[in-house]
Amino acid sequence: ENSPEMIVRYDRNCRRIYINPAYARQTGIPIEHAWNKTPDEVWKPLMLPAEYMARLKHVMETGAPEHILLEWHGLDGGLVSHLMHAVAEYDEQENVVGVLVIGHNITELKETERQLEESQSLLRQLAASSEIAREDERKELAREIHDELGQYLMALRMNVTAVGLKFGENNPVLQEKTGQLTALVDSTIQVVRNVVVSLRPNVLDMGIVPALEWLVDEHQKRTETPCELQVCDEDIYLDDKHATAVFRIVQESLTNIGRHAEASKVDIVLEQRDGQFVLQVRDNGQGFD
């Protein structure tokens, strides 16, 4: 009677045969209104009464205790949460005669959990937006380097070549110098191409499968490690956001494998399961503690 926890006893028919004062305080339902009634006759929580009664009957049938979360709106409109611990009650002949339910108020705990989930959701959104912004910056920077610096380097190469053709016919020293400059410009152009590719590979615009095939080829050229790609469908379509995410995951995985795993074989699998895409990157190299 003096317990701060809600205590309710139910008979085999799920009628309330005992209710302590804490029940009335917590739910706002007078004891005389709820006594000898089933949940589907007098009920306040958001859970369907039929579902709650089914849980009680399951406890009586199996003898296994259950924890049931009940929530309802309090007088101030806020959500009230109680964790109900239901156990079977037995008579002297060990026959189940009903269920004893003790409810613990976990409103503050649930509110803390909800706030934590909201914070985690906001952090995930922040991380996602940061990643999107980073990819947009990479894309823009790659475009500027390709268009601006690439054009300047090509113009420089053409002019050096033109100087060599016009004035170098009878000047071996000038021919040698222009040849060296042309080779230097060619090396610089290749460096620029590598930077552009690392920032934002153009092959990504062709789709995720060609992008992964390009990654596999690059990994094999760089490490001479056999790498096999398996895809469920050559026509897989992913929007730019998801395609970039998959590409970066595989790219970073292959980088780590090349640096640390000492693997002799790598398998990449992209398949579809139940409407979702599952990506696997496996290698036979050494692991880590």
Side-chain angles (χ1 to χ4, degrees):
E1 289 291 297
N2 294 315
S3 172
E5 309 286 331
M6 275 199 310
I7 300 176
V8 184
R9 294 176 63 213
Y10 296 86
D11 64 13
R12 293 283 301 184
N13 297 317
C14 293
R15 292 189 177 277
R16 302 180 184 92
I17 57 175
Y18 171 78
I19 304 170
N20 75 333
Y23 174 90
R25 292 196 302 270
Q26 299 282 0
T27 64
I29 302 174
I31 293 177
E32 59 271 18
H33 289 177
W35 184 80
N36 205 31
K37 302 285 181 60
T38 59
D40 57 357
E41 293 178 287
V42 177
W43 192 243
K44 189 171 186 177
L46 302 178
M47 176 188 285
L48 293 175
E51 182 182 347
Y52 180 68
M53 292 171 65
R55 300 282 292 273
L56 295 181
K57 290 177 180 178
H58 183 261
V59 172
M60 288 187 279
E61 291 168 0
T62 63
E66 280 203 36
H67 285 93
I68 308 170
L69 177 63
L70 294 184
E71 295 184 306
W72 61 86
H73 293 293
L75 296 176
D76 60 354
L79 197 62
V80 179
S81 304
H82 276 71
L83 186 62
M84 317 299 288
H85 188 196
V87 295
E89 287 196 291
Y90 299 87
D91 62 13
E92 294 179 354
Q93 286 74 41
E94 295 298 320
N95 298 315
V96 176
V97 295
V99 179
L100 171 68
V101 178
I102 301 176
H104 179 59
N105 191 334
I106 58 169
T107 302
E108 292 185 4
L109 176 62
K110 294 298 290 184
E111 180 60 27
T112 301
E113 289 179 354
R114 277 188 282 270
Q115 291 176 359
L116 180 60
E117 289 175 359
E118 290 177 2
S119 298
Q120 290 175 338
S121 177
L122 290 173
L123 284 174
R124 285 192 294 269
Q125 293 176 27
L126 178 61
S129 63
S130 298
E131 188 61 33
I132 292 172
R134 188 179 299 115
E135 287 296 339
D136 288 342
E137 289 175 359
R138 286 172 175 168
K139 189 186 301 184
E140 186 64 26
L141 184 59
R143 186 181 297 112
E144 289 183 4
I145 291 176
H146 179 272
D147 294 345
E148 300 293 332
L149 187 56
Q151 289 182 11
Y152 293 151
L153 286 171
M154 288 303 298
L156 178 61
R157 189 186 193 283
M158 292 172 63
N159 287 328
V160 170
T161 303
V163 169
L165 291 174
K166 187 173 183 178
F167 302 106
E169 183 176 356
N170 299 316
N171 191 336
V173 176
L174 181 61
Q175 279 188 340
E176 182 181 357
K177 289 295 182 181
T178 55
Q180 291 175 352
L181 285 173
T182 301
L184 181 60
V185 172
D186 287 341
S187 299
T188 306
I189 290 174
Q190 186 58 50
V191 170
V192 169
R193 287 175 177 170
N194 293 339
V195 171
V196 169
V197 167
S198 65
L199 286 171
R200 167 75 183 188
N202 292 331
V203 71
L204 256 177
D205 298 328
M206 300 171 59
I208 187 59
V209 175
L212 293 181
E213 290 173 345
W214 177 84
L215 266 182
V216 167
D217 290 340
E218 287 297 306
H219 178 76
Q220 291 185 135
K221 289 177 185 177
R222 188 174 66 255
T223 65
E224 298 183 353
T225 302
C227 186
E228 183 177 350
L229 172 66
Q230 302 175 33
V231 293
C232 61
D233 185 358
E234 292 291 334
D235 297 326
I236 291 176
Y237 172 76
L238 292 175
D239 59 35
D240 187 66
K241 173 184 174 183
H242 292 91
T244 301
V246 171
F247 181 86
R248 293 300 183 195
I249 291 170
V250 175
Q251 185 182 44
E252 191 65 25
S253 299
L254 291 178
T255 299
N256 288 340
I257 291 170
R259 288 177 179 174
H260 309 295
E262 299 181 4
S264 61
K265 190 175 188 302
V266 183
D267 291 299
I268 302 170
V269 181
L270 181 62
E271 57 184 340
Q272 192 169 9
R273 298 181 191 170
D274 302 325
Q276 294 183 325
F277 288 104
V278 179
L279 172 69
Q280 299 180 55
V281 182
R282 298 192 298 262
D283 69 85
N284 64 351
Q286 62 186 8
F288 61 92
D289 187 354

